[in-house]
């Protein structure tokens, strides 16, 4: 195998690859070079081995590398051995080159390189074959191992400045790589410069962190010295060999992911045409183009962009600030100069958006920066011997604690730079102040920037509501009365998008029998695993919707004119605003309107002609100097139909990119076919900067006139609310991909096309993933003309809109899988145990010949050699493979929830408790044998009720990464649904609303997921660990990563699964059918030889035995069934689950309604029996005796003949039916156990020592050494406690363990009652995760040289989801301290941003300052903050909390805790506070959630005792 | 969407009815009018189901949750617009529909169903009151001419739809008034005739032409019709009643229910009764047949002052509640008590009429009946036997035969057109088109005896078929086919 194998096949596409990493650096501040720096760097890397990954073989890594300063003396001596005489340092450059293995090809490459060196008037000094030692390298890596050589190139005489030389080397590298790729046959991307510089050199390869040192003997040579080392280890989702994707790159090592990469590449490309720089000749500029390459990784492209901007004259920190700006928009804490800097640069370049911890160096300075969200850990330490080191974890190097001067962590958006020449650390403030004042950015902005509100009133009048054409327009754009009633009325009345429930069971757009909106063919992508979604409500501060319109200038310069653009605060324009822009008259801004229609003659090619005409008009206009183009569909008539705005926008956008004109112009869209948020999202994603939805304004006017809006809402207010709703949902759509700014989302194409032909995608939606073909341009025209003809009918005019039928079943609306007939048949057949009736039901579902709904309906079975059904494995075997979908107790009633559990336990399947925890009473079997325990226990982002005891009672622990109905989004259980019972089970206060955050705050990347899997495996060794993903493009690649992260089960959920509550647009527009996700997952796992390690499960609208059979053939050996099971329990698809009014007692907590539940476990058992029987019948027909035989045998599926259907005839499902070629022994279903690496964990020792406590409740004390490699300490011990002593655990203080050193991640995870853990040292992320009753004490060693309260002692996300226990921390903590805490009492001496986020219970006392956004989404519990400098208020998010009066109870509580803190940790802060208590106390602020306070007071007032219902 | 918790707060409470004692003294409507608030509360009970089974259960596909919501929001105009989009004559169905929608209402699973029919009636009456109901004269005319034969609900619905599509429609009615069964079949206490006349007037203003006493095939030539019109719709109803050919059938005092009912309708409207009066006054009336028509006979007999009213039904007495064999959302065959029953009637089931008994003048005086025992298989009745020694004679001065209708009249129109009939004797159609090129059929004539709501549905669908036939496309709403459907 070589790199060439990384090409698209089946559903796999290399573009889907993700990686995440361990990253760090070490440097001597004074620039003193030593070999020790390299040694230490390598050690750091090895100590973070758990952050990297290995593929199918333990000895093939995903990549590791180190970048150091050029070791001149070493090279001189090495080169002299091979007769190369090196000139002095700075007069030569050295490149580390990966050559192809094939000798002939290699020499061809060399010839080209040598020629280019000469051509650039440099001279070749010679090549040194790099010694490498590959004896321990895995087979896969070996197969593609390049030949590594170092090339030495002499500086030309005429160049004196080393920086100029460096620039020439850059040109040489770019150009020679391009020429080799273009001219050498069979090179297949195997020619690659790891680095080429006079200053730095990068040693890297497809290695594990441990192999790096040995693979490159150079690195062990004492003569190799450097004052700095950047290190990197890679955890990739793939295992395809790729040596060149390992890092560091030439300037950076990146831990993170650029979510907007597609857009960033396009925008950069669109600016290339007008690059000019005094540092490059015209010819040289041409040589370095293209800057980016879509085939490379996001990190690599980022490196390319940084490199360009630096060589063009900007400093490294300046470039970083441009590309990864901190939050400036609306940031009150920021200086004006800095804001000006960022605002100015926003005109030049959009942020490269996504989680990023970047370490950078140019060989003279070294530094690191963090993205605005701060989603990657970066801890640093400075010692008194001039060393500084930074890494994803602390404790990766053994350091004498007494030498430490400071311990810190990089804060969101901040930078940390060490200038080796100046010999000092430059603070973020100083550094940025210096850069921001280099030019009068503020003045430039004032003089040049154009703001929308400052534009003069338009010269012409704008369009008014015309009742005569209004309805015609609504009809021709495809409005339905349902859009108005369900979608728009809600938005206009409340300012929020409507919620829906029970998923989506309507056809995919391409299968629908009704004319679709073009945007329905585009599915929103979302972040899962490799990248966290953002909470756009609670973390609103990091997000922005502002955009800029107008032409941009040469990126490589900065002038006042660069900020001559028009700023739009939000992308929705009123009619008046659009007219202002249309009539704008400014030296640099001129607007042209172009009408977007095509001939409505129904002839082939008409739409294409229309589009090319428009593209031509636009590019002519741009060349004529217009900088703003309005694409308007206002003009159409009976002979001319409007082009879907999405199509025309994307077409113009890509045409301009191709012509190199895109950067010169801004695109605005004036369109009638825009009303749902998804419509806006697609337009923005394909290049529009602003949208005027003119028909909406008329519609709202009409709605008001017809009393379709609340009486209290005026028309103005309705428009305001509508815009607010759209903006809110746009933020959500961006945030589910982890994108913070609209500027980055703009043009980023975060969609997968489903049902659009490749010709259309390649031409108009270039770069978008589209895998099953579909509509041609003429088909799109045909769909548009259906609507057009309705508005110009031959006979009388239509007087009303169509009814829709998407959100509610309608006779004349969209088809639904569940409709009155199928619901009735399913309920009746399972109730009466009538298999014949069930067959009627399944025939109705399966036979979609008239109205296709699902992709699987287009497939048919290929007849095999049938066998008698008696030879097929019995249904009991099949039962084991069934699970019910995750539905929480809270979303559904106790009755419905336990009915499913009892039924599944009866047949040996698995029910899934969902994310709401589970009543502990259910864990034990009842006397009559019924067992209400859910075999699958979910661990979701809210971590409700996740305790050690809960985890101990599962057969499977499922990490819910995403949910089909609303992937990438959080959830909210409203207060009225949290009754006493649910409150107890969720460890929260009844009546107080509960928020599930969009991301798991302990999974920001794949290595974090591996950590959580590890934590859970420790917490219950007998449970399978399952990871639930949602189908989308690239899910297979993610699944590979998940398999490498040691999950036992991967669940691929379809986009259409049910839900308790989800925004309507998410139900419809996010995610893909499971057929695609499952097939991709199976193909990719097989390709990576990982399939044998995991069980693959699938769910989403699975209804019949045929569905099961197809899922099995596509690669699933287990299935989840949720909605159908609920229906047998009485659900009639009210789709009102979010209202608590379910009239059949299924999805409600109202006792009166719960009493109406009539479901019985027998009915559910009947359903699964029928399903199994139906599957067995198909198995017999196809000739499979067991399910295992059947898994992945995709050649038993064929595509139905679709020739008759014009809309479906171009669908190509062959990628789904692709069978990965493999050897016979490649496993196709799970056959081997994962190695979870828990055999030798520290907890084994902890358990051994704790035996007297576990056996006889004797007190145990002991001490242990600990390092960062000891992770999840306490989890396994707690599992032992929970198994034996259940929820109460051991008596308080039974086990007292003292640890010394640096604790690894998840110290004290799920630690149970009875444990006292005292840690002297410091700790990494996830400290006290899920704490379940234990006491944790943390303080730095006594002999440290730093002041604990000013230094970071504990990492990010401490006490996530903790439910009970207490903790005392002497020192500061990182970001998101106490996130989702629901019961722990803790004292800490300072916290980072987002402290106490989503907290629902417990007490947090902060004795120092906090970061921004404290208490966001905090609905319960109390925080006391010692606000010494009166600075806390502006850091607190007041949306849900208030500053409450203190009473004497508070004082006593705080004082006692501070005294305990002093006792346990010896804190000097505590002692100082106590010394002057009255004054200290007066500075404490009490942060109290408003809703929580009200509930507490109400409960106090209610004198009568509230009885907590108990299950029986 | 309505009031989420409405169904928990309010009980089903359709319109209150006048006291039976009071109401049998006249022929006026039985229901009293109610406050707006009352109707809104009833509408608030609607749960706006994700799958509105009511909408599926309604033969017209009325978009019930949406108009309920509009009523709850006090937006009567909107409610009217939604209602009228699927139902041309809600003022009829709001009064005389057995409401299959309510039988399939989701709330009906465990609570009394939403009072949909009641709400429907209130919407349309409110709309008339508020002046929302206006004659909509089509903006243009296609020049096509269509003859509708029969002015019952099917014919009227088709006429209304076709007219709105711009065609010239002429409705031929053999009687002297427009409305078919609505006009002379259904008693005034269920449907006051001013309601029918109000609608007919509107249709006239909209451009529909009505010709009465025009019996096609008798006094109007079929050939002329075919010549003059581009299309013909047959909507003459199912008019041949099922007879009871037993001994004594010929006696005086044995009548078909429809003859009896029609006479009374004419009297209430002050129209002359041509034939000999059939009156229940002072008589022992026996109504044979337990359906709606039978019920109408009961109510009419009581109003005429019958000495006694007895109703007998051959089938067994249905259960009070749903049984396993007729689960929700199916139409349940349960015991229903009509307003006429409330007014006084001796109801009997499982009774077979053996013979009419008469006095010497040939006037009926009694009925020989016998009790039956029904056998049932899987919950469905399958054959009966007579109960030994149960034969007896009951007094009867007036016997009314209300046993349903067989098929349309073949003689005349149908014979002359030569349209094919189906095995039940109804007009055979493919998508409402008969075997004769431009001749269509709808309603009971095509479908066999059925409900008014089905007749309206048939009329609408047939109109669309005719429009498509004439114009190649149709903008008329279809029940199951959306406008946005792909062609």
């Amino acid at each position: 195998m070589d790199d060439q194998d990384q090409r698209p096949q089946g559903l796999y596409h290399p573009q889907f690859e993700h990686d995440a990493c361990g990253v760090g650096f070490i440097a001597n501040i004074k620039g003193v070079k030593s070999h020790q720096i390299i040694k230490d760097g390598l050690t750091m890397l090895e100590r973070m081995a758990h952050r990297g990954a290995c593929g199918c073989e333990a000895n093939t890594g995903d990549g590791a590398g180190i970048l150091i300063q050029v070791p001149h003396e070493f090279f001189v001596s090495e080169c002299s051995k091979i007769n190369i005489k090196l000139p002095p340092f700075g007069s030569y450059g050295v490149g580390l080159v990966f050559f192809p293995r094939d000798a002939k090809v290699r020499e061809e490459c060399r010839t080209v390189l040598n020629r280019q060196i000469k051509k650039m008037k440099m001279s070749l000094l010679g090549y040194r074959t790099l010694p490498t030692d590959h004896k321990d390298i895995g087979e896969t890596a070996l197969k593609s191992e390049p030949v590594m050589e170092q090339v030495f190139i002499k500086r030309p005489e005429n160049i004196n400045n080393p920086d100029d030389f460096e620039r020439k080397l850059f040109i040489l590298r770019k150009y020679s790589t391009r020429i080799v790729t273009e001219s050498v046959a069979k090179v297949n991307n195997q020619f690659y410069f790891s680095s080429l510089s006079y200053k730095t050199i990068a040693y890297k390869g497809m290695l594990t962190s441990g192999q790096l040192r040995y693979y490159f003997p150079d690195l062990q040579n004492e003569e190799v010295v450097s004052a700095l080392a950047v290190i990197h280890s890679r955890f990739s989702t793939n295992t395809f060999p790729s040596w060149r994707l390992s890092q560091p790159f030439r300037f950076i090592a990146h831990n993170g992911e650029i979510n907007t990469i597609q857009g960033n590449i396009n925008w950069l490309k669109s600016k290339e045409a007008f690059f000019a720089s005094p540092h490059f000749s015209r010819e040289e500029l041409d040589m370095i183009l293209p800057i980016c390459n879509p085939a490379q990784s996001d990190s690599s492209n980022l490196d390319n962009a940084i490199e360009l901007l630096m060589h063009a004259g900007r400093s490294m920190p300046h470039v970083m600030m441009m590309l990864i700006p901190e939050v400036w928009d609306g940031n009150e804490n920021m200086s004006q100069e800095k804001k000006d800097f960022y605002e100015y640069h926003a005109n030049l370049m959009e942020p490269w958006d996504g989680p990023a911890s970047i370490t950078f160096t140019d060989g003279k300075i070294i530094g690191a920066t963090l993205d605005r969200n701060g989603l990657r850990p970066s801890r640093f330490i400075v010692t008194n011997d001039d060393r500084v080191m930074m890494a994803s974890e602390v404790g990766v190097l053994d350091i004498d604690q007494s030498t430490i001067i400071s311990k810190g962590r990089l804060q969101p958006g901040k930078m940390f730079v060490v200038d080796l020449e100046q010999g000092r650390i430059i603070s973020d403030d100083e550094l940025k102040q210096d850069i921001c004042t280099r030019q009068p950015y503020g003045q430039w902005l004032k003089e040049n920037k154009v703001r929308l509100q400052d534009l003069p009133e338009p010269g012409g009048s704008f369009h008014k509501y015309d009742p005569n054409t209004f309805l015609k327009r609504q009809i021709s754009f495809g409005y339905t009365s349902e859009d108005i009633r369900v979608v728009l009325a809600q938005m206009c009345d409340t300012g929020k998008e409507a919620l829906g429930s029970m998923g989506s069971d309507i056809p995919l757009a391409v299968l629908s029998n009704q004319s679709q909106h073009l945007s329905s063919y585009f599915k929103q992508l979302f972040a899962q695993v490799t990248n966290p979604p953002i909470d756009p409500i609670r973390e609103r501060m990091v997000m922005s919707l502002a955009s800029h319109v107008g032409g941009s200038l040469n990126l490589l310069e900065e002038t006042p004119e660069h900020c001559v653009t028009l700023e739009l605060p939000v992308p929705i324009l009123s009619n008046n605003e659009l007219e202002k822009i249309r009539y704008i008259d400014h030296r640099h801004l001129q607007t042209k309107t172009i009408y977007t229609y095509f001939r409505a003659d129904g002839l082939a090619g008409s739409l294409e002609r229309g589009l090319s005409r428009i593209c031509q008009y636009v590019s002519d206009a741009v060349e004529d100097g217009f900088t703003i183009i309005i694409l308007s569909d206002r003009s159409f008539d009976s002979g001319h139909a409007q082009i879907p705005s999405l199509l025309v926008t994307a077409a113009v956008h890509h045409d301009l990119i191709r012509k190199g004109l895109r950067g010169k112009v801004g695109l605005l869209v004036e369109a009638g076919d825009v009303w749902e948020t998804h419509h806006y999202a697609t337009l923005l994603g394909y290049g529009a900067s602003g949208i005027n939805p003119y028909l909406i304004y008329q519609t709202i006017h009409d709605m008001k006139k017809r009393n379709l809006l609340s009486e209290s809402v005026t028309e103005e207010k309705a428009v305001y609310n509508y815009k607010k709703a759209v903006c809110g949902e746009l933020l959500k759509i961006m945030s589910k991909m982890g994108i913070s700014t609209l500027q980055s989302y703009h043009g980023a194409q975060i969609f997968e096309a489903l049902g659009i032909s490749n010709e259309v995608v390649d031409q108009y939606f270039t770069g978008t993933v589209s895998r099953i073909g579909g509509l041609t341009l003429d088909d799109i025209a045909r769909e548009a003309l259906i609507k057009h003809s309705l508005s110009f009918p031959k006979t009388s005019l239509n007087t009303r809109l169509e009814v829709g039928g998407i959100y509610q079943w309608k006779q004349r609306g969209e088809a639904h899988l569940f409709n009155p007939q199928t619901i009735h048949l399913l309920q009746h057949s399972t109730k009466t145990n009538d298999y014949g009736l069930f067959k009627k039901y399944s025939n109705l579902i399966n036979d979609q010949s008239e109205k296709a709904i699902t992709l699987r309906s287009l497939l048919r079975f290929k007849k095999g050699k049938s066998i008698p059904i008696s030879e097929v494995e019995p249904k009991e075997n099949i039962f084991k493979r069934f699970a019910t979908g995750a539905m929480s107790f809270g979303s559904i009633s106790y009755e419905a929830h336990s009915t499913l559990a009892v039924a599944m336990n009866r047949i040996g399947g698995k029910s899934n408790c969902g994310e709401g925890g589970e009543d502990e009473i259910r864990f034990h079997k009842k006397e009559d044998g019924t067992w209400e325990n859910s075999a699958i226990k979910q661990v979701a982002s809210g971590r409700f009720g996740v305790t050690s005891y809960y985890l101990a009672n599962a057969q499977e622990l499922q990490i819910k990464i995403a949910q089909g109905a609303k992937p990438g989004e959080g959830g909210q259980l409203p207060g009225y649904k949290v009754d006493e019972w649910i409150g107890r089970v969720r460890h929260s206060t009844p009546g107080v609303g509960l928020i599930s955050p969009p991301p798991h705050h302990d999974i920001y990347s794949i290595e974090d997921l591996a950590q959580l899997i590890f934590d859970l495996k420790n917490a219950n060794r007998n449970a399978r660990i399952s990871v639930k993903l949602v189908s989308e493009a690239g899910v297979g690649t993610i699944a590979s990563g998940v398999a490498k992260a040691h999950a036992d089960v991967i669940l691929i959920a379809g986009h259409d699964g049910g839900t308790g509550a989800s925004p309507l647009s998410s139900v419809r527009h996010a995610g893909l059918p499971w057929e695609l996700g499952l097939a991709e997952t199976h193909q990719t796992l097989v390709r990576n030889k990982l399939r044998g390690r995991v069980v693959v499960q699938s769910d989403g609208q699975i209804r019949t035995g045929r569905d099961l059979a197809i899922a099995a053939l596509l690669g699933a050996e287990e299935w989840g069934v949720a909605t159908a099971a609920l229906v047998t329990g009485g659900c009639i698809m009210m789709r009102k689950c979010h209202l608590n009014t379910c009239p059949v007692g299924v999805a409600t907590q109202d006792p009166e309604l719960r009493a109406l539940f009539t479901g019985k476990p027998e009915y559910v058992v009947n359903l699964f029996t029928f399903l199994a029987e139906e599957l067995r019948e198909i198995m017999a027909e196809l000739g499979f005796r067991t399910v295992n035989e059947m898994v992945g045998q995709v050649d038993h599926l064929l595509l139905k003949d679709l020739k008759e259907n014009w809309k479906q005839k171009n669908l190509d499902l062959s990628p789904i039916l692709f069978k990965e070629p493999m050897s016979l022994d490649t496993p196709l279903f799970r056959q081997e156990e994962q190695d979870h690496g828990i055999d030798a964990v520290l907890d084994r020792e902890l358990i051994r020592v704790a035996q007297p406590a576990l056996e006889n409740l004797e007190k145990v004390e002991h001490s242990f050494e600990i390092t960062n490699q000891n992770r999840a300490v306490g989890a396994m011990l707690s599992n032992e406690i929970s198994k034996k002593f259940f929820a109460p655990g051991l008596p308080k203080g039974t086990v007292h363990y003292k640890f010394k050193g640096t604790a690894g991640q998840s110290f004290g995870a799920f630690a149970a009652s009875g444990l006292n853990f005292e840690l002297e040292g410091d700790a990494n992320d996830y400290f006290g995760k899920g704490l379940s009753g234990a006491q944790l004490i943390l303080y730095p060693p006594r002999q440290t040289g730093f002041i604990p309260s000013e230094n970071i002692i504990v990492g990010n996300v401490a006490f996530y989801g903790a439910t009970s226990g207490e903790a005392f921390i002497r020192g500061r903590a990182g970001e998101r301290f106490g996130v989702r805490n629901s019961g722990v009492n803790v004292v800490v001496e300072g916290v980072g941003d987002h402290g106490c986020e989503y907290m629902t219970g417990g007490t947090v006392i902060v004795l120092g300052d906090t970061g921004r956004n404290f208490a966001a989404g905090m609905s319960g519990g109390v925080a006391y903050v010692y606000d010494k400098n009166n600075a806390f208020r502006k850091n607190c998010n007041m949306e849900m909390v208030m500053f409450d009066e203190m009473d004497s109870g508070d004082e006593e509580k705080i004082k006692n805790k501070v005294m305990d803190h002093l006792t346990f940790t010896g804190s000097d802060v505590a002692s100082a506070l106590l010394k002057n208590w009255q004054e200290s106390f007066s500075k404490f602020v009490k942060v109290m959630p408003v809703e929580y306070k009200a509930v507490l007071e109400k409960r106090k007032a209610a004198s009568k005792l509230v009885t907590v219902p108990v299950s029986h | 969407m309505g009031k989420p918790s409405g169904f928990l707060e309010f009980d089903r409470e359709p319109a209150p009815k006048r006291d039976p004692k009071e109401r049998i003294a006249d022929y006026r409507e039985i229901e009293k009018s109610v406050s707006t608030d009352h109707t809104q509360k009833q509408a608030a009970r609607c749960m706006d189901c994700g799958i509105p089974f009511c909408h599926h259960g309604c033969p017209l596909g009325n978009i019930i949750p949406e108009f309920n919501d509009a009523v709850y929001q006090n937006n009567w105009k909107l409610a009217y617009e939604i209602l009228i989009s699927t139902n041309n004559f809600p003022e009829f169905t709001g009064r005389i529909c057995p409401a299959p929608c309510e039988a399939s209402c989701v709330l009906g699973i465990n609570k009394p169903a939403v009072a949909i029919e009641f709400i429907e009636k209130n919407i349309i009456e409110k709309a008339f009151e508020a002046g929302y109901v206006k004659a909509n004269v089509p903006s243009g005319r296609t020049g096509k001419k269509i003859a509708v034969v029969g002015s019952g609900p099917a014919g009227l619905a088709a006429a209304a739809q076709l007219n709105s599509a711009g065609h010239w429609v002429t409705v031929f009615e053999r009687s002297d008034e427009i409305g078919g069964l609505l006009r002379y079949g259904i008693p005034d206490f269920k449907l006051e005739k001013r309601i029918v006349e109000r609608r007919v007037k509107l249709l006239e203003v909209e451009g529909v032409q009505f010709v009465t006493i025009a019996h096609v095939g008798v006094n109007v030539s079929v050939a002329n019709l075919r010549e003059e019109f581009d299309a013909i719709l047959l909507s003459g109803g199912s008019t041949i009643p099922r007879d009871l050919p037993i001994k004594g059938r010929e006696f005086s005092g044995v009548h078909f229910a429809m003859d009896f009912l029609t006479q009374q309708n004419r009297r209430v409207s002050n129209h002359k009764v041509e034939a000999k009066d059939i009156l229940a006054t002072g008589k022992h009336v026996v109504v044979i047949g337990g359906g709606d028509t039978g019920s109408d006979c009961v109510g009419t007999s009581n109003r005429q002052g019958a000495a006694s009213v007895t109703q007998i039904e051959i089938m067994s007495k249905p259960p009070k509640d749903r049984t396993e064999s007729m689960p929700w959302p199916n139409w349940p065959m349960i015991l229903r008590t009509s307003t006429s029953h409330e007014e006084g009637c001796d109801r009997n089931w499982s009774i077979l009429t053996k013979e009419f008994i008469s006095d010497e003048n040939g006037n009926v005086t009694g009925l020989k009946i016998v009790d039956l025992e029904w056998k049932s298989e899987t919950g469905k009745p399958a054959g009966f036997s007579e109960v030994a020694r149960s034969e007896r004679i009951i007094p009867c001065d007036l016997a009314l035969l209300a046993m349903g209708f067989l098929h349309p009249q073949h003689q005349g129109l149908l014979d002359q057109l030569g349209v094919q009939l189906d095995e039940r004797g109804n007009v055979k159609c493919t998508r409402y088109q008969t075997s004769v090129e431009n001749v269509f059929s709808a309603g009971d004539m095509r479908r066999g005896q059925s409900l008014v709501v089905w007749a309206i549905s048939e009329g609408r669908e047939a109109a669309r078929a005719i429009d498509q036939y004439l114009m190649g496309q149709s903008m008329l709403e279809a029940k199951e086919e959306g406008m946005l459907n792909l062609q």
Side-chain angles (χ1 to χ4, degrees), chain A residues 327-381:
Chain A
V327 180
W328 57 271
D329 203 1
N331 185 348
E332 290 167 25
N333 298 350
M334 185 178 276
S335 75
Q336 192 57 44
E337 284 99 341
K338 216 154 136 191
K339 269 192 188 172
D340 291 339
F341 173 89
Y342 285 123
E343 187 178 352
Y344 172 82
H345 283 84
N347 291 288
L348 273 64
M349 178 161 269
E350 71 293 340
W352 290 54
D353 207 340
S357 167
I358 293 177
T359 295
F360 54 85
T361 184
D362 61 1
K364 289 178 181 165
I365 64 161
I366 186 162
T369 188
L370 206 54
D371 68 279
R372 57 171 60 201
N373 287 301
L375 294 172
R376 290 286 191 268
S378 303
R379 302 276 293 269
F380 63 80
I381 283 174

Side-chain angles (χ1 to χ4, degrees), chain A residues 1049-1062:
Chain A
V1049 183
I1050 295 172
L1051 166 57
I1052 303 295
H1055 65 122
D1056 41 10
T1059 170
S1062 164

Side-chain angles (χ1 to χ4, degrees), chain A residues 335 337 428-438:
Chain A
S335 75
E337 284 99 341
D428 181 77
D429 280 343
E430 180 189 340
L431 182 75
K432 288 183 178 168
Q433 187 64 25
D434 182 41
I435 291 169
C436 295
T437 49
R438 282 183 48 247

Side-chain angles (χ1 to χ4, degrees), chain A residues 1012-1037:
Chain A
L1012 179 58
I1013 292 172
F1014 181 80
D1015 294 341
L1016 295 176
K1017 200 74 188 182
N1018 273 282
N1020 182 348
R1021 322 197 267 295
N1022 297 321
R1024 318 195 287 186
I1025 311 295
S1026 155
V1027 174
K1028 176 175 179 176
L1029 303 173
V1030 170
S1031 176
E1032 69 170 325
V1035 71
T1037 315

Side-chain angles (χ1 to χ4, degrees), chain A residues 165-175 196 280 288 291 304 307-308 311:
Chain A
F165 178 45
E166 191 78 351
R167 195 172 293 116
K168 298 287 176 202
L169 291 174
F170 162 64
I171 298 164
L172 171 66
R173 197 191 85 224
K174 293 290 274 189
Y175 191 62
L196 176 58
F280 292 97
I288 58 172
I291 297 301
N304 291 336
E307 189 172 43
L308 166 76
H311 284 306

